[in-house]
Amino acid sequence: MKRVIHFKTGPFLPITENWIYGQISGMKKYEPFVYACDAENLDIFPVKKIRTVKSPQVMQKGMNFRKLYFYLYFIHFLAKDNPDIIHAHFGPSGQRFLLLKRFFKLPLVTTFYGYDINQVVKQYPAWLAKYQNLFHQGTLFLVEGNHMKKSLMFLGCPEDKILVHHLGVDLENIKFVPRKIEDEEEIRVLIASSFREKKGIPYAVDAFGQFKNSNPQIKISLTIIGDSAEDRFGDRQKQLILDKIRRHHLQESVRMLGYQSHEVFIRELYNHHIFLSPSIHASDGDNEGGAPVSIIEASASGLPVLATLHCDIPEVVVEDKTGYLVPEKDVSSLKERLAFLVLNHQSWATIGSYGRKHIEQNYDVRTQIGRLEEIYDDVLSNRYGCL
């Protein structure tokens, strides 16, 4: 069996990056090894073979020593593991692995996910030159959709080195349930994301609050799964969300569950009738790049989705078929479409059925893993001519 190294800087694996695990755990033709700078949540994301470089003793040393230790550590294991191909997750991971790629003469596939395309370059302009080096020396680059492909080309990546490869979700563990309500039943709306500006949650709370306060006769509630990452940016968003809840007097109508496991998130999908995901381009350059995996999973479960015309979300949410799309930050349009979904609940089953079929055809994790392994095969056969 051929071997692939999945590498990412930072830890393997934050719960908010569970979609990376989906690409690794289901491989059939390639034996996966995980290389990372740290490890966390291995009880949730178990892997058979993982190499992590971080240690308390090393972290106390200077930057140059840590860089040298990083390369010496992974040189040792690359020689031992003898991989056929490297798959770096996020652009900076690909750039950091270039030296090892050259040393071992290995093909390097790099997947970009969003923040690494826009936010990194905007906040740290020196990364633009680093990316040019990556684009030149890297073998192939994967993106979630055509919007992200255009964004990568704008940064200077050759079009013939980019492939669209959808992230997949586990449809065997996400059953389809048509949504419906009984007489006098409360309608439940769900949001699930980290508290980041790009997620647009304050706009969603505004739209929900305006609708609820102008329609007091309708029983409706909002659940928010997620929290601040305990940094000043996340804390700022959390405070803004709480302020919006107070301003619209929604304290009795909003449940805030904090961060939850993926299992709890999937369970909560079936307790709700509408999924809301109003992503925006953040002021620091951050955006979804592709589309949140939570939208894919919500649609697979049968939930109608209300989202924004943002990045590759329109490839997942088919307008007027699997849900509705509105302009970013447009509270009025969010409220209008939310009202339409609430008042036309008889359409939920049809919307959900179409959404499930769309996800089955384009985002089934088993199909996408098979496609990823075919991409590895093509790289190793030198189809892309960059070994």
Side-chain angles (χ1 to χ4, degrees), residues 176-179 299-304 321-322 347-360:
F176 170 66
V177 177
R179 299 308 195 271
S299 194
S301 79
L303 275 175
K321 296 289 188 179
T322 72
S347 68
W348 293 351
T350 301
I351 293 173
S353 178
Y354 196 102
R356 175 69 181 202
K357 291 177 182 176
H358 179 59
I359 301 305
E360 287 176 345

Side-chain angles (χ1 to χ4, degrees), residues 135-319:
F135 297 152
H136 175 68
Q137 296 188 49
T139 310
L140 189 68
F141 301 91
L142 305 182
V143 293
E144 296 176 47
N146 287 294
H147 178 277
M148 195 188 295
K149 178 179 179 179
K150 292 176 182 177
S151 298
L152 205 59
M153 290 170 59
F154 181 78
L155 291 182
C157 186
E159 183 176 7
D160 60 2
K161 278 192 170 187
I162 308 172
L163 284 183
V164 172
H165 178 254
H166 292 155
L167 297 176
V169 298
D170 188 355
L171 295 180
E172 289 188 1
N173 292 324
I174 304 176
K175 61 181 180 178
F176 170 66
V177 177
R179 299 308 195 271
K180 60 181 180 179
I181 58 170
E182 306 296 337
D183 291 340
E184 302 300 318
E185 183 182 358
E186 179 184 73
I187 296 172
R188 295 179 293 276
V189 181
L190 177 63
I191 295 172
S193 72
S194 296
F195 292 174
R196 291 294 184 189
E197 184 184 354
K198 72 176 180 180
K199 297 298 182 179
I201 299 176
Y203 300 98
V205 176
D206 265 340
F208 176 84
Q210 289 181 17
F211 173 78
K212 181 172 178 57
N213 291 330
S214 60
N215 296 274
Q217 77 282 5
I218 296 177
K219 295 181 180 178
I220 187 169
S221 65
L222 175 65
T223 301
I224 301 176
I225 295 177
D227 209 332
S228 163
E230 297 185 350
D231 57 42
R232 61 189 179 92
F233 302 105
D235 289 344
R236 186 182 306 159
Q237 282 297 300
K238 184 172 185 176
Q239 189 58 52
L240 187 55
I241 292 165
L242 293 173
D243 288 345
K244 297 287 186 181
I245 290 172
R246 286 190 290 267
R247 183 179 305 174
H248 293 289
H249 309 290
L250 298 173
Q251 290 89 334
E252 301 300 319
S253 302
V254 177
R255 289 193 309 153
M256 298 186 69
L257 302 186
Y259 281 126
Q260 296 293 331
S261 67
H262 186 251
E263 180 182 0
V264 171
F265 165 68
I266 296 298
R267 186 169 67 241
E268 285 295 328
L269 289 177
Y270 299 105
N271 293 328
H272 292 81
H273 304 100
I274 298 168
F275 192 74
L276 188 51
S277 187
S279 300
I280 66 170
H281 283 78
S283 56
D284 63 358
D286 196 12
N287 61 44
E288 302 291 359
V293 174
S294 58
I295 293 180
I296 302 172
E297 293 174 321
S299 194
S301 79
L303 275 175
V305 177
L306 174 55
T308 47
L309 292 160
H310 175 86
C311 293
D312 284 312
I313 290 177
E315 292 192 18
V316 179
V317 181
V318 183
E319 175 68 7

Side-chain angles (χ1 to χ4, degrees), residues 33 39 43 54 70 76 96 101 118-119 125 129 167 170 188 232 264 267 304 314 332 346 354 367:
F33 290 67
D43 56 329
K54 185 175 179 181
F70 170 91
H76 167 75
R96 191 168 190 185
K101 172 208 182 314
N118 297 290
Q119 185 181 13
L167 297 176
D170 188 355
R188 295 179 293 276
R232 61 189 179 92
V264 171
R267 186 169 67 241
S332 178
Q346 68 278 3
Y354 196 102
T367 302

Side-chain angles (χ1 to χ4, degrees), residues 97-106 133 137:
F97 219 87
L98 277 178
L99 181 62
L100 297 174
K101 172 208 182 314
R102 294 195 302 270
F103 188 84
F104 284 91
K105 296 180 172 59
L106 290 166
N133 192 34
Q137 296 188 49

